[in-house]
Amino acid sequence: MEDGLYHLRIDTPVGPLQISGTTQFINAVSFTDEPAVDFPQAPALLLDCAQQLYEYFAGDRKIFELPIFQEGTEFQQTVWQQLTAIPFGHTISYQQLARRINNPKSIRAVGTTNGKNRLAIIVPCHRVIGSDGSLTGYAGGLWRKRWLLEHERTDLFTGLM
C-alpha cells in the first residue's frame, strides 16, 4: 500500500469521527456531521486507531498508543505536547497550560492553538477549561466536550489541577 493520505469513518457515542493518516502517522481525528462516504481500504494504522477509540468509548482505554503527527509551529507543537500530559479524568485551565509551557502571558495563543488541534480525543484538548471551571470553546461543540469530560468522570468544577 503506498503512503498516501487515507481516511476511515467510525460511529461513536458523540457522533461520527473521521480518522485521517498515512501508513506511518495519524494526522487527524475530526468530528463530522457530513454524510457517510465510502473510502478505499484503510491501512492497519487507521484500523488500530479506530480500535483504540472504540476502547476509549467503552471505558477500557485511558492512554492512546499511536504515532501521531500534525503540522504546526514550534509553539503549537509545544502546546499540543502539553495537552497529551493532562491525565485522563483531569482538567486544567488555559492559564495553567500557558504556565506549563513557561509562557504565562500566552493564554490567548494557547487557546487559539488548542482550537487548531486536529487530533480530537487523542490529543485531549477537551480537558482544557476556563479558570472558573466553565466549559469554553471546543471545535466539536460544547455538548461533545461535556460528554467527553463526563465520560472521563471529571468533576468539572473541582477538577482543576
Side-chain angles (χ1 to χ4, degrees):
M1 198 175 276
E2 76 178 62
D3 206 31
L5 187 62
Y6 298 92
H7 306 282
L8 176 64
R9 185 185 169 118
I10 63 172
D11 290 320
T12 75
V14 290
L17 285 175
Q18 182 171 303
I19 303 166
S20 300
T22 66
T23 58
Q24 297 180 329
F25 297 102
I26 299 299
N27 302 109
V29 174
S30 309
F31 297 103
T32 180
D33 292 319
E34 298 296 317
V37 175
D38 288 331
F39 293 116
Q41 179 63 37
L45 179 58
L46 273 69
L47 297 173
D48 184 34
C49 181
Q51 181 60 41
Q52 290 188 35
L53 285 163
Y54 289 137
E55 291 167 2
Y56 167 85
F57 285 111
D60 298 330
R61 176 172 292 276
K62 295 181 179 182
I63 297 171
F64 291 93
E65 298 167 348
L66 296 162
I68 58 173
F69 176 77
Q70 57 182 325
E71 299 252 348
T73 66
E74 184 177 336
F75 177 84
Q76 290 170 326
Q77 296 294 336
T78 299
V79 170
W80 294 328
Q81 184 60 41
Q82 281 300 312
L83 291 174
T84 63
I86 304 168
F88 183 94
H90 290 85
T91 57
I92 66 171
S93 69
Y94 293 95
Q95 185 175 45
Q96 289 170 309
L97 185 54
R99 285 190 196 128
R100 283 188 179 187
I101 64 166
N102 297 316
N103 195 342
K105 293 184 179 183
S106 67
I107 296 169
R108 285 181 190 236
V110 162
T112 299
T113 297
N114 203 44
K116 290 183 178 180
N117 172 34
R118 297 186 64 223
L119 291 159
I121 303 168
I122 293 171
V123 175
C125 55
H126 62 276
R127 296 179 188 154
V128 183
I129 61 176
S131 294
D132 62 357
S134 64
L135 297 186
T136 57
Y138 187 62
L142 289 181
W143 74 270
R144 285 185 175 114
K145 184 172 189 166
R146 179 175 301 283
W147 192 99
L148 293 168
L149 291 174
E150 289 174 358
H151 173 67
E152 295 181 6
R153 294 169 183 78
T154 299
D155 183 333
L156 299 176
F157 302 104
T158 61
L160 294 176
M161 296 171 45

